[in-house]
Amino acid sequence: MFLKIKKYLFRKFKKLETDVHDLNYLFWECTTRCNHNCLHCGSDCTKDSSFPDMPLQDFLKALETIKEKSKFFTVVLTGGEPLLRKDIEKCGQEIRKLGFRWSMVTNGYLYDKEKHFSLQNAGLGALTISIDGMKDSHNWLRNTPNSFKKVDEAIGLAATSKRLNFDVVTCVNQKNINELPEIYDYLIKKGVKAWRLFTTTPIGRAKNNPDLNLSGQQLKYVMDFITEKRKLKKLDIKFSCEGYVGDYELKVRDMFFFCRAGINIGSVLIDGSISACPNIDRSFAQGNIYKDNLFDVWQNKFSIFRNREWTKTGICKNCRDYKDCMGNGLHYWHGQTKELIMCHKEKISEPF
């Protein structure tokens, strides 16, 4: 009964959040160049992107349209690999001048001691670094021989900063799933305080790679692993916001699943497209900063994100958990037909 009440109250909370739709996080896909060639990349980023880096002034002009911002508002620099931009510190400084906080997602390869201090001096407030296994499995997924050595150094540096809100993310796959206990111990020894685990979305390069996608039994193992480690309270470990996980809700996260794409999370993509979470299919774009006012688009469009009744089709149509799931993470609705690629709850329940 208590769980039912909590679910009911959380549905009310989601409805209120959706109605108000405060913009809390704005992802800026500032480059699609990358110094890695990761096997699980959903956007097929390369060293020589077909898109040039977005000029800083173009993004700042769009950012200036946001007149009513949440006190929690943060600009998140993502890519590609943001550290490939030579003006990355300038980007941060100019964002701070406008009164916005900023953070960054990086593969850590270029994050050395000099960058560690220069980025913080430019106002960097939060940082996410990816590590995808121990040495061999990480280098395999990142498709870069020296990647683990570099990311190990980056994590060591970031973990020393008391003012930096820092976490590590790991993409769980066939190669590293058995290393999760070792990664857990490694991160604690490095002084990391927060760790998020996610799985591969079968899009981009990952679409037809059997080494990346987990079986239902393996996904259940990940849920059990997170559940048990959370009880120890040695590390803030959680499953990402990628999907609804049924009976594991509140066991693997601090609160119930809530896909905030287009509700609290927006993005400016490399070509100027205005969308929600940058992992979502590009066909969800709601406008473009080169012809539209960013804040007007956020306030007056995004109906496909805020009314998700259109997801009540296929296996979602008669699902008893639909009110709590609302169609799973929207990055699992891909392609022109907008069909659900995967249901986490259903996959966990698969017979062994």
Side-chain angles (χ1 to χ4, degrees):
M1 179 62 71
F2 184 58
L3 181 60
K4 287 184 178 180
I5 294 172
K6 290 177 76 172
K7 284 186 175 182
Y8 172 78
L9 293 174
F10 195 73
R11 289 173 199 154
K12 292 289 187 182
F13 167 73
K14 287 195 293 185
K15 176 66 166 57
L16 178 61
E17 287 285 282
T18 302
D19 290 344
V20 175
H21 53 262
D22 271 343
L23 180 57
N24 291 342
Y25 288 93
L26 180 67
F27 285 87
W28 177 28
E29 190 179 49
C30 62
T31 181
T32 49
R33 292 182 298 127
C34 191
N35 48 5
H36 284 15
N37 190 29
C38 301
L39 301 181
H40 66 316
C41 183
S43 53
D44 284 331
C45 297
T46 60
K47 287 183 179 180
D48 300 313
S49 170
S50 58
F51 290 101
D53 294 355
M54 180 180 287
L56 172 59
Q57 290 305 317
D58 293 359
F59 177 69
L60 293 176
K61 185 177 179 181
L63 198 57
E64 286 172 348
T65 68
I66 301 175
K67 304 301 181 185
E68 305 169 31
K69 65 177 185 292
S70 162
K71 63 181 179 179
F72 303 109
F73 183 87
T74 299
V75 176
V76 185
L77 274 59
T78 185
E81 173 49 51
L83 291 181
L84 286 175
R85 287 189 65 124
K86 301 297 184 184
D87 64 344
I88 195 72
E89 288 86 358
K90 177 71 172 176
C91 293
Q93 289 166 353
E94 294 301 317
I95 291 168
R96 289 294 297 140
K97 284 180 182 177
L98 291 178
F100 299 98
R101 296 182 296 184
W102 72 282
S103 65
M104 185 175 63
V105 180
T106 175
N107 60 36
Y109 196 82
L110 298 175
Y111 193 91
D112 56 17
K113 185 175 290 187
E114 182 179 351
K115 278 293 178 188
H116 178 64
F117 291 112
S118 66
L119 290 168
Q120 289 187 85
N121 288 338
L124 178 69
L127 179 68
T128 295
I129 296 179
S130 299
I131 188 165
D132 296 304
M134 301 311 293
K135 181 179 178 181
D136 291 342
S137 54
H138 175 87
N139 289 344
W140 168 79
L141 188 68
R142 293 287 160 178
N143 216 4
T144 306
N146 207 33
S147 183
F148 182 82
K149 180 178 183 297
K150 294 287 189 178
V151 78
D152 174 66
E153 294 170 357
I155 289 172
L157 285 167
T160 64
S161 176
K162 293 182 179 179
R163 62 165 289 271
L164 199 59
N165 185 3
F166 169 57
D167 73 341
V168 168
V169 294
T170 296
C171 178
V172 185
N173 57 71
Q174 296 282 346
K175 297 284 189 180
N176 67 13
I177 187 168
N178 293 326
E179 295 178 343
L180 293 182
E182 188 177 358
I183 301 169
Y184 173 84
D185 291 338
Y186 161 81
L187 293 176
I188 290 175
K189 288 178 182 178
K190 297 293 287 188
V192 173
K193 304 298 183 186
W195 185 27
R196 281 181 291 138
L197 284 73
F198 66 99
T199 64
T200 306
T201 307
I203 58 176
R205 296 179 199 153
K207 187 174 183 180
N208 299 308
N209 191 331
D211 288 328
L212 297 178
N213 298 313
L214 302 181
S215 67
Q217 183 177 3
Q218 288 172 322
L219 184 57
K220 185 178 185 301
Y221 167 78
V222 174
M223 296 300 105
D224 289 333
F225 173 81
I226 296 172
T227 299
E228 291 306 309
K229 293 303 183 185
R230 281 173 67 83
K231 293 175 183 177
L232 301 178
K233 298 184 178 181
K234 293 181 179 180
L235 180 64
D236 179 15
I237 177 176
K238 58 174 66 76
F239 190 53
S240 74
C241 60
E242 70 177 74
Y244 176 77
V245 291
D247 292 340
Y248 283 101
E249 294 291 325
L250 296 189
K251 294 180 181 179
V252 296
R253 301 189 185 99
D254 297 334
M255 64 171 61
F256 292 108
F257 169 71
F258 184 8
C259 178
R260 293 177 178 269
I263 296 171
N264 303 114
I265 296 173
S267 65
V268 174
L269 304 178
I270 191 68
D271 63 351
S273 294
I274 301 167
S275 191
C277 172
N279 291 327
I280 286 175
D281 191 84
R282 305 284 157 141
S283 63
F284 280 88
Q286 300 293 293
N288 192 290
I289 64 167
Y290 291 109
K291 61 183 181 65
D292 301 308
N293 180 293
L294 171 61
F295 194 62
D296 283 350
V297 171
W298 175 261
Q299 291 289 72
N300 301 311
K301 292 192 177 182
F302 283 82
S303 60
I304 195 171
F305 298 98
R306 295 165 191 166
N307 181 353
R308 302 192 182 181
E309 286 296 313
W310 59 271
T311 64
K312 208 166 187 179
T313 184
I315 63 173
C316 295
K317 187 173 183 179
N318 298 311
C319 179
R320 64 181 177 86
D321 286 345
Y322 183 81
K323 288 182 179 179
D324 299 309
C325 176
M326 299 297 289
N328 216 25
L330 285 190
H331 62 294
Y332 280 91
W333 292 83
H334 209 73
Q336 294 298 319
T337 57
K338 299 287 191 298
E339 294 180 355
L340 182 64
I341 296 175
M342 188 184 88
C343 169
H344 289 69
K345 174 179 172 288
E346 183 181 64
K347 187 157 190 157
I348 291 169
S349 303
E350 288 177 358
F352 296 166

